[in-house]
């Protein structure tokens, strides 16, 4: 579902940003739903999953930047 912006948006930068936003919304909803099913604090678990996703995105962005810099030499 989150790759749909990559198919339909012509501007690559906007498509990637849209993809990240959609992914974070899905992660938040999945965390909220998981907490509901497991009878846990809903908002805390939703934000926990959201921030985990943000961390993973940050690591991927950092790794991509390092590879980009290394390949320019």
């Amino acid at each position: 579902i989150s790759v749909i912006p990559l198919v339909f948006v012509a501007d690559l930068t906007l498509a990637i940003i849209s993809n990240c936003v959609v992914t974070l919304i899905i992660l938040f909803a999945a965390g909220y739903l998981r907490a509901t099913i497991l009878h846990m604090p809903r908002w805390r678990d939703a934000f926990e999953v959201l921030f985990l996703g943000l961390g993973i995105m940050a690591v991927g962005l950092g790794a991509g930047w390092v590879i980009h810099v290394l390949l320019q030499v």
Side-chain angles (χ1 to χ4, degrees):
I1 300 281
S2 66
V3 297
I4 290 174
L6 296 173
V7 176
F8 292 109
V9 178
D11 181 25
L12 184 61
T13 303
L14 181 61
I16 291 173
I17 292 170
S18 301
N19 184 3
C20 291
V21 169
V22 169
T23 299
L24 292 174
I25 291 170
I26 291 170
L27 285 171
F28 184 85
Y32 191 89
L33 181 63
R34 181 181 80 160
T36 302
I37 291 170
L38 297 176
H39 304 291
M40 298 170 56
R42 292 180 189 101
W43 291 103
R44 187 195 75 190
D45 201 52
F47 280 110
E48 183 179 308
V49 173
L50 174 74
F51 289 131
L52 178 65
L54 277 171
I56 292 169
M57 285 182 185
V59 168
L61 178 67
W65 179 78
V66 167
I67 290 171
H68 174 71
V69 168
L70 290 175
L71 292 178
Q72 283 188 352
V73 174

